Amino acid sequence: MYGKLGEVLRGELDALRAQGLYKEERVLEGPQGAEVTVGGRKVLNFCANNYLGLASDPRVTEAARRTLAEWGYGLSSVRFICGTTSLHKLLERELSAFLGTEDTILYAACFDANGGIFEPLLDKDSAIITDQLNHASIIDGVRLAKAQRLIYQHADMNSLEEQLKSAQAAPFRLIVTDGVFSMDGDLVKLPEICDLAEKYGALVMVDDSHATGFVGQTGRGTAERFGCLGRVDIVTTTLGKALGGALGGCTSGRAEIIEWLRQKSRPYLFSNSLPMMICGAALEVLRILREDTGPLRQLERNQQRLRAGLRELGFDVDPGEHPIIPVHFRRHQDDAIMAQGMAKDLLQEGIYCIGFSFPVVPRGQARIRLQASAAHTDAHVDRCLEAFAAVGRRRGAI
Ligand SMILES: *Cc1c(COP(=O)(O)O)cnc(C)c1O
């Protein structure tokens, strides 16, 4: 039987390559950081979610090593059989304290947190009202639920209000949104959403994967940034981005919701418990964040310098406040070729970044998505700007 499927897949793979949609993976030959080794060369990395530069921070790796020595490697169990340690409980308490919530449940990844939230919580009469540009894991999670799915236009509060009105007969309504949308780095309109939720009686869920640890004065995320702590019922987030970058996710929020998820959420019940090494390292990350807002300030500074510098050079960069900085090529006839070509030349110049084009982003909106990190120094940012200037001029992008 396989011969036939193999043939179909080879054809499909060739078609992807022909359309320029085949994803080649670049191979790092050492640890994640501001500087990475690719193809035997050291280059500056401007495309990691390593926002706080903690992925290879010695304090974090040491905490992981210490925990590994004390607690061993794995648990060979799901949480409810024999996979819950005091370290898991401590991390859940510390995450709740950090996020300003009542309780937290850990998952192997935020993808699982989003996959396991909707189905146990909302029955077929309830309504999930979801932003058009929400993350793939939210889309998949919503698909698993029997509830009605109502999609509102991205960040469009009129569209959201219409959907809320149309769902007034449902016993429960849940508005779900990314805290930060990953392709543009735009932040959720959280106060407006919370107001509408109050007006129409809806719960609010925010996926803060691109915010936890660094958005808001002390890094508590979009709720802190917009003064909405306590108004968001459910937060999902990842340990795989700013908070050390290894793996792991969580759902945090109202006590009864979290307790219910421990009983009913399938990715929690039927998947292995998070390695203690990661719990130990994540606890260290939270300790660092409590004591030292230096990385947050450095990240803010790098984001501002990079964005302002690109705009001064004449690149098509929108104003913004998030370390995701899309460099657009909207003025160019073939934006996709320009984005891919720029990224290729930038790597030659020692700047590692990625060009995104259709279908990852809409047609005509190809871009290079840069991500600032607290691990970058002023000199790193300057080198990035110099490389963009040189490559941009050579390719006629500026
Ligand atoms: C990265 C991301 C996820 C997935 O997180 P993992 O912990 O890597 O599974 C989920 N939601 C959003 C919005 C993300 O950006």
Side-chain angles (χ1 to χ4, degrees):
M1 183 73 220
Y2 178 66
K4 196 170 154 192
L5 178 61
E7 197 177 312
V8 170
L9 292 178
R10 278 192 299 278
E12 296 287 336
L13 287 164
D14 287 343
L16 283 182
R17 285 191 195 88
Q19 295 165 281
L21 300 179
Y22 189 90
K23 290 177 207 63
E24 296 284 356
E25 296 177 0
R26 292 216 180 99
V27 179
L28 304 194
E29 290 143 5
Q32 184 63 277
E35 207 171 50
V36 291
T37 309
V38 180
R41 284 173 59 224
K42 284 204 159 45
V43 294
L44 293 178
N45 190 357
F46 278 88
C47 58
N49 299 315
N50 186 20
Y51 293 114
L52 293 171
L54 296 174
S56 304
D57 185 289
R59 293 166 294 184
V60 178
T61 53
E62 184 46 40
R65 209 187 326 269
R66 209 168 48 230
T67 317
L68 180 67
E70 264 174 46
W71 288 88
Y73 175 62
L75 273 171
S76 300
S77 173
V78 298
R79 287 285 298 269
F80 81 94
I81 299 180
C82 53
T84 296
T85 67
S86 49
L87 214 55
H88 293 94
K89 300 308 284 181
L90 180 59
L91 178 56
E92 287 173 341
R93 277 199 303 280
E94 292 289 331
L95 281 167
S96 307
F98 182 72
L99 296 170
T101 52
E102 291 173 4
D103 200 0
T104 298
I105 175 174
L106 292 169
Y107 287 84
C110 187
F111 206 105
D112 290 325
N114 287 334
I117 176 80
F118 303 104
E119 185 264 338
L121 218 51
L122 299 162
D123 66 8
K124 68 174 176 37
D125 298 321
S126 298
I128 302 168
I129 305 168
T130 174
D131 187 290
Q132 173 199 12
L133 293 190
N134 277 343
H135 189 262
S137 54
I138 294 178
I139 295 172
D140 284 9
V142 171
R143 277 189 191 139
L144 292 171
K146 293 190 180 65
Q148 308 168 53
R149 177 184 53 182
L150 301 170
I151 299 170
Y152 64 95
Q153 298 299 307
H154 174 55
D156 180 336
M157 294 300 108
N158 292 325
S159 173
L160 171 58
E161 186 161 15
E162 268 170 40
Q163 298 293 27
L164 281 164
K165 281 181 186 160
S166 78
Q168 282 306 289
F172 296 104
R173 284 162 293 285
L174 172 67
I175 304 170
V176 54
T177 176
D178 282 15
V180 176
F181 293 86
S182 64
M183 281 300 137
D184 286 294
D186 56 320
L187 272 60
V188 62
K189 294 176 180 164
L190 199 51
E192 291 89 335
I193 288 181
C194 290
D195 288 348
L196 283 171
E198 265 165 36
K199 183 169 172 193
Y200 291 96
L203 297 154
V204 176
M205 168 178 158
V206 176
D207 177 344
D208 245 354
S209 290
H210 280 287
T212 304
F214 60 97
V215 169
Q217 196 58 33
T218 59
R220 282 161 165 76
T222 52
E224 182 184 34
R225 164 67 182 77
F226 291 111
C228 293
L229 288 167
R231 298 183 80 191
V232 174
D233 301 287
I234 301 166
V235 179
T236 58
T237 193
T238 183
L239 305 178
K241 291 187 171 105
L243 301 184
L247 197 70
C250 69
T251 301
S252 197
R254 311 279 182 201
E256 295 82 359
I257 294 178
I258 304 305
E259 193 177 354
W260 183 245
L261 293 175
R262 283 192 209 283
Q263 301 301 313
K264 296 288 179 183
S265 180
R266 292 164 72 84
Y268 181 83
L269 290 172
F270 299 109
S271 187
N272 214 35
S273 142
L274 197 63
M276 292 76 77
M277 183 170 58
I278 292 181
C279 298
L283 283 163
E284 175 65 10
V285 167
L286 294 176
R287 191 196 63 74
I288 293 170
L289 287 178
R290 270 197 310 274
E291 291 188 355
D292 178 11
T293 53
L296 269 76
R297 304 288 90 82
Q298 183 67 33
L299 176 60
E300 174 65 15
R301 175 180 167 77
N302 291 346
Q303 180 273 120
Q304 284 179 3
R305 289 190 67 235
L306 193 54
R307 193 181 294 272
L310 289 161
R311 286 167 67 88
E312 261 167 47
L313 286 170
F315 282 100
D316 182 4
V317 172
D318 296 324
E321 60 177 87
H322 193 272
I324 290 175
I325 305 172
V327 182
H328 294 278
F329 300 96
R330 291 174 286 212
R331 298 190 292 253
H332 297 274
Q333 181 120 55
D334 201 330
D335 58 314
I337 285 174
M338 185 60 96
Q340 305 297 351
M342 284 277 306
K344 190 167 140 270
D345 288 6
L346 283 160
L347 187 64
Q348 286 307 311
E349 298 278 335
I351 303 298
Y352 182 8
C353 58
I354 296 284
F356 290 95
S357 49
F358 182 82
V360 180
V361 294
R363 265 188 219 286
Q365 292 189 32
R367 68 196 63 179
I368 289 174
R369 184 183 68 175
L370 294 178
Q371 287 170 285
S373 167
H376 295 137
T377 61
D378 283 2
H380 291 150
V381 172
D382 290 340
R383 264 172 59 199
C384 181
L385 290 170
E386 282 159 23
F388 263 85
V391 173
R393 286 195 191 104
R394 202 157 65 226
R395 288 209 164 245
I398 49 171

